[in-house]
Amino acid sequence: MPLHVPPAPAPALRTVLTALGSPTAVREARTPSLRLAQGPVTPELPLPVHVLDRITPAGASATRLAGWRFLIRSGDRAVAGADTMLTPDGWAFSRFFEGPYITATERALRQAETMQQSYQARLLSVPELYMLTLWLHGDCAADGATGHPAATDLLVPLAPAPPGIASHRPYLVTELLPVLTLRVTPAPPAPLLGSPA
């Protein structure tokens, strides 16, 4: 079934194109693959990046849109990524980067394209566990910048995943969130006023 990639905001794409056209931005990016790319490089596969801010014991979560991520392609492969973020003045280029999540994202997207059901592709970051997942949202017509994981959505942990969580294995949200709940250490309660710290 086709995998749906939501359209990125035009200003977010423009900031990436402007950064790619800037020799200074590319040179200072510290991404050797991008600096050494032969021929044209193009931003593709824009994915909204949502952050999982909170996991409750019931597994319910709060997410927020953190930005849009583009894979930067040179020839037949992605050589880097580009992140954008929303600022009070609108969309802004954040950074170029490379590393294992580039190839892991490509692999997970190819895997998702072979599934029987259609999904909308998003990324879901779990900062407390240093974890990034491909979030396959069941409502392909939804606004990619809003919403939270539905019980029937799939999460595909990208490599490297935390120990004990299989990379590139699709998990139902209702299956993976309870596991993540056990992994996240709750913050200690704040001391009461007048009590010893």
Side-chain angles (χ1 to χ4, degrees):
M1 295 298 267
L3 186 64
H4 297 269
V5 177
L13 175 58
R14 275 195 302 273
T15 67
V16 173
L17 290 170
T18 299
L20 282 172
S22 164
T24 304
V26 171
R27 188 172 47 254
E28 293 177 0
R30 296 194 177 118
T31 56
S33 295
L34 183 59
R35 285 196 313 271
L36 299 173
Q38 298 295 314
V41 290
T42 56
E44 296 181 355
L45 295 170
L47 297 172
V49 180
H50 295 260
V51 175
L52 186 65
D53 281 327
R54 181 173 72 246
I55 306 173
T56 68
S61 60
T63 61
R64 62 181 167 80
L65 180 68
W68 283 78
R69 176 167 290 178
F70 297 79
L71 294 181
I72 306 300
R73 186 165 301 281
S74 174
D76 62 349
R77 68 183 189 96
V79 295
D83 282 342
T84 62
M85 61 183 178
L86 190 57
T87 69
D89 295 325
W91 288 99
F93 171 75
S94 176
R95 67 184 180 126
F96 289 119
F97 66 95
E98 61 183 71
Y101 284 139
I102 302 298
T103 54
T105 300
E106 278 194 307
R107 177 181 168 185
L109 288 168
R110 282 193 308 270
Q111 179 183 354
E113 287 173 348
T114 66
M115 295 182 174
Q116 296 299 315
Q117 182 178 336
S118 292
Y119 289 99
Q120 183 188 81
R122 304 171 175 197
L123 293 172
L124 182 66
S125 172
V126 186
E128 291 176 279
L129 297 176
Y130 301 99
M131 180 179 179
L132 185 64
T133 70
L134 177 64
W135 169 11
L136 299 173
H137 189 53
D139 182 0
C140 295
D143 178 355
T146 62
H148 60 278
T152 56
D153 287 353
L154 296 178
L155 298 176
V156 182
L158 301 181
I165 296 175
S167 298
H168 298 287
R169 176 191 180 278
Y171 293 88
L172 282 170
V173 165
T174 54
E175 181 185 9
L176 186 58
L177 280 186
V179 173
L180 299 182
T181 302
L182 297 174
R183 299 287 182 99
V184 175
T185 306
L192 298 173
L193 291 177
S195 66

